[in-house]
Amino acid sequence: MDNCVFCKIVRGEIPATVVHQDELTVAFMDIGSVNPGHMLVAAKPHVENIQGMDDRLAAAMFRTAARVARAAEQVLHPQGISIYQANGKAAGQTVFHAHIHVLPRWENDGMEFTWPVKNPPREALEKVAAQLRAAL
Ligand code: 5GP
Ligand code: ZN
């Protein structure tokens, strides 16, 4: 992917502050860091989103996220760590190369996340769950 910014980082064509890498993933500081220690874990192969990851890549992504989260815990002593991963414009994705945000958190750090609970009836949950099971 010639014009993909994270592919360019993977190939070393543009600078990035890399924290860790392995065969399938690279973790680097987010240029727009919300808090100290805000990192992105990107897939080395160009996949647009989580739906495009095979089992091996999906496992490698979360392994790296957990690994750098432990380092953030040790170094920065945050009060919490958020894992954020967006797929698609409607979900808030702005760079269309799959990545996981590892975001150290502190009380009142300004991060906002609204979660508009709708409490659907059990039958609605059963219906969509049956469709999902059939799709697996
Ligand atoms: P998304 O909204 O797609 O989940 O997040 C994309 C993230 O990539 C943003 O937090 C943004 O700051 C970060 N980002 C965009 N371009 C670059 C870049 O060239 N270098 C780095 N290190 N981060 C970037
Ligand atoms: Zn890419």
Side-chain angles (χ1 to χ4, degrees):
M1 295 297 283
D2 290 351
N3 277 324
C4 171
V5 68
F6 288 177
C7 280
K8 287 182 182 173
I9 287 174
V10 168
R11 292 195 296 261
E13 291 171 10
I14 61 170
T17 304
V18 172
V19 175
H20 175 71
Q21 57 183 314
D22 60 20
E23 185 194 352
L24 291 171
T25 68
V26 56
F28 53 95
M29 307 310 294
D30 189 317
I31 206 165
S33 289
V34 167
N35 279 333
H38 183 173
M39 292 171 277
L40 300 174
V41 177
K44 280 195 172 172
H46 180 89
V47 291
E48 188 169 317
N49 50 38
I50 195 169
Q51 302 94 307
M53 295 180 200
D54 61 19
D55 287 353
R56 187 161 165 261
L57 181 57
M61 291 287 286
F62 214 75
R63 183 177 58 225
T64 298
R67 194 162 182 186
V68 298
R70 288 192 295 270
E73 172 86 27
Q74 203 179 307
V75 172
L76 296 161
H77 309 292
Q79 292 172 321
I81 299 178
S82 291
I83 299 298
Y84 176 73
Q85 203 273 318
N87 303 287
K89 188 164 171 281
Q93 187 174 12
T94 60
V95 175
F96 295 91
H97 175 130
H99 56 278
I100 300 172
H101 293 258
V102 177
L103 177 54
R105 299 294 308 278
W106 284 267
E107 300 283 352
N108 303 313
D109 62 9
M111 271 291 287
E112 299 278 347
F113 198 62
T114 52
W115 192 269
V117 173
K118 300 198 175 63
N119 294 315
R122 169 76 56 192
E123 304 79 68
L125 302 180
E126 292 290 351
K127 188 175 171 201
V128 72
Q131 291 173 310
L132 292 167
R133 283 192 292 267
L136 284 168

